[in-house]
Amino acid sequence: MTIGEMLAATVPMARTLNLEFLETTAERAVVSLPDQGDYHNHVGGPHAGAMFTLGESASGAVVLAAFGEQLARAVPLAVRAEIAYRKLAMGPVTATATLGRPAAEVVAELDEGRRPEFPVSIEIRREDGAVTGEMTVVWTLRPGG
């Protein structure tokens, strides 16, 4: 099962929004939100909440790809998030999430018995390439599995 399939199977919001996991590596994840009228806002584009969920889901995908081997001893949790809506989003949008610290550095902190925090940066773009949103989700690996 791919990370995208796993997230779609275990995270109801990912299924609800019909998110498409296009690419997932330990450094980056790319996730698409199709254009769906049921999730539009008052101006006809994707609702801000749907775009937030898209970005957070992309960040979760890269976290699972980077730290999946640690799941037996630590639980990944989002600590906080910030989003800035830059331009009007219309049609399908795609989020690209990038891990903000080297995974080895984060695992080294976990090995030391610490609870590491690390950022994931996300850009949300519409089909013409314009950045419609920028987001940061700070994650932690909570020891204890």
Side-chain angles (χ1 to χ4, degrees):
M1 182 180 283
T2 67
I3 288 174
E5 291 168 340
M6 183 175 68
L7 285 170
T10 60
V11 179
M13 279 301 294
R15 280 193 316 275
T16 297
L17 292 177
N18 299 306
L19 298 182
E20 299 172 23
F21 293 83
L22 305 175
E23 175 189 336
T24 306
T25 69
E27 293 82 31
R28 112 186 183 137
V30 180
V31 181
S32 178
L33 172 66
D35 187 24
Q36 303 166 90
D38 286 346
Y39 306 113
H40 281 177
N41 58 22
H42 62 289
V43 293
H47 189 277
M51 291 197 339
F52 182 93
T53 300
L54 169 68
E56 194 275 341
S57 297
S59 76
V62 74
V63 167
L64 286 176
F67 302 108
E69 294 176 358
Q70 308 305 320
L71 294 180
R73 67 180 184 140
V75 177
L77 297 169
V79 175
R80 62 187 170 276
E82 183 175 333
I83 191 165
Y85 301 101
R86 301 288 182 209
K87 290 186 185 240
L88 184 61
M90 298 299 279
V93 289
T94 301
T96 301
T98 307
L99 194 63
R101 285 180 60 197
E105 185 180 290
V106 174
V107 171
E109 284 185 27
L110 188 62
D111 290 342
E112 294 168 359
R114 296 167 50 200
R115 184 175 169 165
E117 288 190 4
F118 52 94
V120 176
S121 299
I122 305 104
E123 278 192 344
I124 301 171
R125 294 179 181 271
R126 55 186 191 215
E127 280 187 312
D128 68 2
V131 175
T132 64
E134 295 173 321
M135 184 173 179
T136 301
V137 180
V138 176
W139 287 82
T140 189
L141 296 179
R142 186 187 75 200

